Amino acid sequence: MSGENQPITNVLVPTGALGAGVRREHVWAGLVAGPHAIACDAGSTDSGPAYLATGKPKYSRAAVKADLTILMQAQAQARIPLLIGSCGTSGADTALDWTCEIALEIAAEHGLSPKIALLRSEQDPEVLAAKARAGKIRPLAPHTEASPELFLGCDHVVALMGPEPYIAALEAGADIVLGGRTTDTAVLAALPLSRGAGAGPAWHAGKIAECGGLCTRRTRDGGVMIKVGQDSFDVEPLSAANACDPYTVSSHMLYENADPFLLTEPGGVLDVREAVYEALDARTVRVRGSRFVPAPYTMKLEGAGGGPFQTVILVGIQDPEVLAELPRFLDQMETALRRRLAEAMPQVGPEAVSLRPYGWNAVLGDAPPPGTPTPREIGLLLVATAADQATATQIAKTCNPILFHMPLDPETELPSYAFPFSPAEIERGQVYEFKLNHVVEVDDPLELVRMSFVQAGAR
Amino acid sequence: MPQLKDVCRFIRSKNAGPYWITVDLYFDAANYAAYAEAPGLSIEALARAAAVAPGEVRKFVVPDLHVVKVTYPRPSPQGGVLERDLHGGQQFVRFQALEV
């Protein structure tokens, strides 16, 4: 790969996310190839703000335990480090502790005794407000400001770690490193970087492998192995039946990335504009020409908090006469709801209700193009929003008779549309919102990170 | 006049973080050569399809993959009061009927 004298670091990436599914046979096949570490992440912002705002994980405890059991057994057997970033979806402290507790339970059940490092990157909003006042925080587009109040409005704030805390934990003798929020790439790049791999190949390999099998032909078929050297890296699937090719690997740079060529990381920017992707054999791709351009160290901040509350009502409509004139019916419905709310609850503004006709235009909310066929039925979802749950429910209840009985034309007999539930209204809880898109300057990659150790199996 | 859905192999959309949508337009080699830089895929045309201002749209051409990538800010951050498409996975439909 990069000359006989240069060390190659093999990292087994078993899955795109802990809890999404790890295949025991693929991990064991990967162990045969001699990995130096097993690494994956366990979270991201992809699934929405609720997981960060509440600190509760997205995946079930059972799913995470099943995956983590396989990885901890592989770690113990191969005696190589296991690194897991963004534990418990958000990487908040409660989510990290939840993951650690599962790990300790697995260790007890299987007679394992790893030394576990915990890397906390949740931040005190007050500390960040002070950093903002000191001019150490700047907004990322499309945000334009970094006022201290923004941070105080968050229920949880996490800073995305780079590879340095993982390397520090390994140097301190950790067998397993469970990290709070971390960039997906950093978890995979940490060991290659610490063993002297080229920064460009290490970061690029981390990016390509961060979603596990997504850079392979059969994207659902297990994880991948990255082999990182000084000037290049190789990537291949763990499953013998699966394959990577230059197209599947290079196109992964498009996925969920705003920019397909440049990726900003805590200590610099990965630049793949000159990268060359070459098939090494029928299932392995070699990548050369990746560059990492160092920049002042910053950590991205993610913050979320609770907003207003919502109550919803779903009503099914199959009346062909109504559906034949659906735009008129929906306009009338909107008007009737607003009129009734203005009479009965004048304190409520018009933005308190949103009508979403599923089967018509609920997903995009735009006008359907001319010629759109009449649907056979629609599910009309009313979303009522208010500062508290009780008011949201009162709004929904006020709307109920109109949703139930509004005729297309006044002279027609009273229709009754189809509620699926009793009570018709469903209190769906709080709306959670992302509130931050900022970076904080730090003097040291560990400045905002707290490291601690737990010895599993100790009696 | 052909529409984007007639000249693309496929079109997909997804969030790129909580504040951005990114849309990947996959072409074959011939259609990529014909359309990637054509007026039908100008920043202005893409902005109209995305229902945002032209100044907010970033367009990338990726010749090796025959892909045009379009990135623009979400009208509201992922998951808020107005959310209708949490992962942005259905926003590609806005681009299908774009006349190229």
Side-chain angles (χ1 to χ4, degrees):
Chain A
M1 151 178 274
S2 315
E4 291 297 310
N5 307 329
Q6 289 171 342
I8 305 296
T9 304
N10 302 341
V11 180
L12 192 165
V13 185
T15 179
L18 185 77
V22 169
R23 300 273 293 275
R24 183 179 292 274
E25 67 273 24
H26 293 167
V27 172
W28 253 248
L31 289 186
V32 173
H36 298 92
I38 303 169
C40 65
D41 77 68
S44 86
T45 56
D46 296 348
S47 302
Y51 305 106
L52 176 57
T54 62
K56 290 179 182 163
K58 169 187 168 182
Y59 293 114
S60 74
R61 192 180 194 284
V64 169
K65 186 175 178 184
D67 286 359
L68 190 52
T69 300
I70 296 169
L71 300 185
M72 286 176 63
Q73 288 174 328
Q75 185 279 320
Q77 165 149 338
R79 296 171 183 273
I80 54 174
L82 169 61
L83 314 177
I84 301 175
S86 302
C87 283
T89 308
S90 63
D93 284 357
T94 52
L96 178 61
D97 290 334
W98 178 84
T99 308
C100 182
E101 191 235 304
I102 296 172
L104 293 175
E105 184 175 295
I106 294 167
E109 288 173 7
H110 294 273
L112 308 174
S113 51
K115 180 177 178 180
I116 301 175
L118 298 175
L119 303 173
R120 295 179 194 280
S121 69
E122 181 159 354
Q123 306 300 316
D124 181 349
E126 297 275 1
V127 172
L128 294 175
K131 285 247 183 212
R133 282 184 209 105
K136 296 283 190 188
I137 295 183
R138 52 191 162 82
L140 300 175
H143 279 228
T144 53
E145 59 161 329
S147 75
E149 292 71 36
L150 266 178
F151 302 93
L152 301 176
C154 296
D155 294 335
H156 291 280
V157 180
V158 291
L160 276 76
M161 290 185 276
E164 297 83 0
Y166 289 82
I167 295 169
L170 293 177
E171 285 171 354
D175 301 304
I176 297 176
V177 187
L178 300 179
R181 188 69 171 115
T182 310
T183 75
D184 297 347
T185 35
V187 187
L188 310 189
L191 193 70
L193 288 169
S194 76
R195 284 169 45 91
W203 284 103
H204 195 184
K207 173 61 196 169
I208 292 300
E210 49 122 354
C211 288
L214 222 49
C215 65
T216 68
R217 279 193 201 140
R218 290 160 52 169
T219 55
R220 305 263 166 215
D221 199 4
V224 296
M225 181 84 83
I226 48 175
K227 301 180 174 179
V228 189
Q230 193 60 42
D231 309 312
S232 68
F233 71 92
D234 296 349
V235 55
E236 64 183 293
L238 298 178
S239 163
N242 198 356
C244 289
D245 64 46
Y247 185 85
T248 65
V249 172
S250 62
S251 62
H252 189 63
M253 287 303 296
L254 300 170
Y255 188 70
E256 291 179 347
N257 266 10
D259 185 320
F261 301 114
L262 301 175
L263 188 69
T264 304
E265 291 288 342
V269 177
L270 171 65
D271 179 346
V272 306
R273 283 176 293 189
E274 305 292 319
V276 178
Y277 303 80
E278 163 201 6
L280 206 58
D281 56 34
R283 55 193 301 281
T284 309
V285 171
R286 175 161 296 177
V287 184
R288 273 173 290 153
S290 333
R291 293 193 307 139
F292 187 77
V293 184
Y297 206 93
T298 58
M299 295 172 86
K300 192 174 180 210
L301 298 170
E302 293 168 351
F309 289 76
Q310 292 182 326
T311 298
V312 300
I313 296 181
L314 179 66
V315 62
I317 300 179
Q318 209 172 46
D319 183 332
E321 289 179 11
V322 170
L323 296 175
E325 293 196 62
L326 195 49
R328 177 161 77 90
F329 177 82
L330 292 170
D331 281 349
Q332 271 178 220
M333 175 73 80
E334 192 95 37
T335 306
L337 292 174
R338 299 205 185 294
R339 189 184 305 134
R340 181 64 184 142
L341 280 170
E343 290 163 5
M345 299 182 76
Q347 72 278 23
V348 167
E351 71 290 348
V353 290
S354 166
L355 271 184
R356 319 257 177 108
Y358 281 89
W360 185 240
N361 71 343
V363 174
L364 293 187
D366 58 353
T372 300
T374 302
R376 179 164 182 265
E377 67 177 24
I378 62 163
L380 184 56
L381 187 75
L382 174 101
V383 182
T385 305
D388 59 87
Q389 189 74 70
T391 306
T393 297
Q394 287 299 308
I395 294 168
K397 283 171 177 279
T398 303
C399 295
N400 177 322
I402 297 167
L403 289 168
F404 186 25
H405 284 312
M406 192 195 80
L408 182 62
D409 293 303
E411 63 276 13
T412 50
E413 205 170 312
L414 188 76
S416 297
Y417 305 116
F419 284 138
F421 306 120
S422 173
E425 72 279 1
I426 303 166
E427 295 191 334
R428 81 145 207 92
Q430 195 166 18
V431 177
Y432 297 103
E433 296 165 329
F434 284 115
K435 298 182 185 238
L436 298 182
N437 194 36
H438 295 75
V439 291
V440 57
E441 296 169 19
V442 292
D443 298 326
D444 182 285
L446 279 85
E447 179 189 332
L448 295 177
V449 179
R450 289 146 289 141
M451 179 159 51
S452 60
F453 295 90
V454 181
Q455 178 60 56
R459 309 259 174 239
Chain B
M1 201 183 289
Q3 297 185 333
L4 198 52
K5 68 175 188 302
D6 305 319
V7 302
C8 280
R9 289 198 297 124
F10 67 96
I11 309 173
R12 71 176 179 187
S13 62
K14 199 83 191 280
N15 292 343
Y19 297 95
W20 297 87
I21 298 280
T22 191
V23 184
D24 298 333
L25 313 174
Y26 283 80
F27 297 87
D28 63 23
N31 279 339
Y32 178 83
Y35 295 106
E37 310 278 12
L41 285 185
S42 66
I43 292 277
E44 290 71 23
L46 294 166
R48 269 198 305 281
V52 298
E56 300 193 298
V57 173
R58 300 174 69 196
K59 175 185 173 184
F60 303 91
V61 291
V62 190
D64 292 348
L65 296 172
H66 306 134
V67 164
V68 173
K69 188 173 185 63
V70 185
T71 301
Y72 55 95
R74 283 177 136 266
S76 62
Q78 182 194 17
V81 172
L82 302 172
E83 189 59 76
R84 291 165 179 262
D85 183 10
L86 188 67
H87 295 89
Q90 295 297 303
Q91 300 303 308
F92 75 94
V93 176
R94 294 182 186 278
F95 293 82
Q96 286 193 312
L98 190 64
E99 292 191 339
V100 293

